[in-house]
Amino acid sequence: MENAGVTDVLNTFRAAFEAERHEEWAVLYDTSVVLMRPHQTLLIDGPQEMLPYGRNVYDSYAKLGLAKVSLTIRDIRGFDPGIVLAEVTWRYATAEDEELILHDCTYGLRRRAGGYKIALHISHNEIVRRPVFLESSAPELLIGGVF
């Protein structure tokens, strides 16, 4: 297993997400993706279908002043030639380094021609840590507390 290839994908994702280069991070997803959150499991049909989900997350934090995105890779495990699980923690912060959210994810990556692609995206602690917008017409994008 090539940890460097997995690390490269995750670091590319981080840089693209922070810079709001949505097409760049989206192409890191495989042709089909399982997206699991505490309240839903979705089968996503590739990068273009993944775009609205990631943009929603970005827009949520941009409204709070998102300026910095950091990534800590806690563990990378290979279970099969070409299938890898990566445990990561995302930190979203303002330009003043005020933490907006600390969010854990498990990614399942599959080796493809040209490198690894994300085929599984499991969010952890999102509900308990995600800011809640109490004063908004879009309740999924809110400020003012934590669940």
Side-chain angles (χ1 to χ4, degrees):
M1 177 190 62
E2 298 176 23
N3 284 0
V6 172
T7 301
D8 289 346
V9 167
L10 296 172
N11 284 324
T12 298
F13 189 107
R14 187 217 56 80
F17 193 83
E18 179 180 79
E20 198 178 357
R21 296 189 309 260
H22 298 302
E23 295 288 335
E24 188 177 323
W25 63 254
V27 299
L28 299 173
Y29 282 92
D30 206 356
T31 54
S32 63
V33 178
V34 176
L35 173 61
M36 295 177 69
R37 295 171 130 171
H39 61 286
Q40 68 185 158
T41 299
L42 300 170
L43 299 176
I44 306 293
D45 191 21
Q48 289 304 309
E49 196 171 298
M50 192 66 185
L51 271 170
Y53 296 100
R55 281 186 176 144
N56 181 51
V57 170
Y58 183 89
D59 291 345
S60 295
Y61 300 118
K63 288 181 184 225
L64 298 173
L66 177 65
K68 299 177 186 178
V69 178
S70 60
L71 168 71
T72 301
I73 301 171
R74 295 187 326 272
D75 191 28
I76 298 174
R77 292 171 281 156
F79 295 96
D80 187 272
I83 298 175
V84 175
L85 287 181
E87 302 288 337
V88 307
T89 298
W90 292 99
R91 182 178 186 269
Y92 303 112
T94 66
E96 296 77 29
D97 207 38
E98 176 188 350
E99 187 173 286
L100 299 172
I101 191 169
L102 196 62
H103 175 252
D104 303 314
C105 284
T106 299
Y107 291 103
L109 297 100
R110 181 174 288 146
R111 188 188 320 245
R112 296 289 193 199
Y116 284 95
K117 296 287 185 175
I118 301 167
L120 173 67
H121 181 139
I122 303 173
S123 295
H124 309 286
N125 304 317
E126 185 178 27
I127 295 287
V128 293
R129 294 182 178 162
R130 186 175 182 180
V132 180
F133 295 75
L134 299 177
E135 304 293 330
S136 171
S137 60
E140 73 278 5
L141 299 178
L142 297 181
I143 14 192
V146 177
F147 279 105

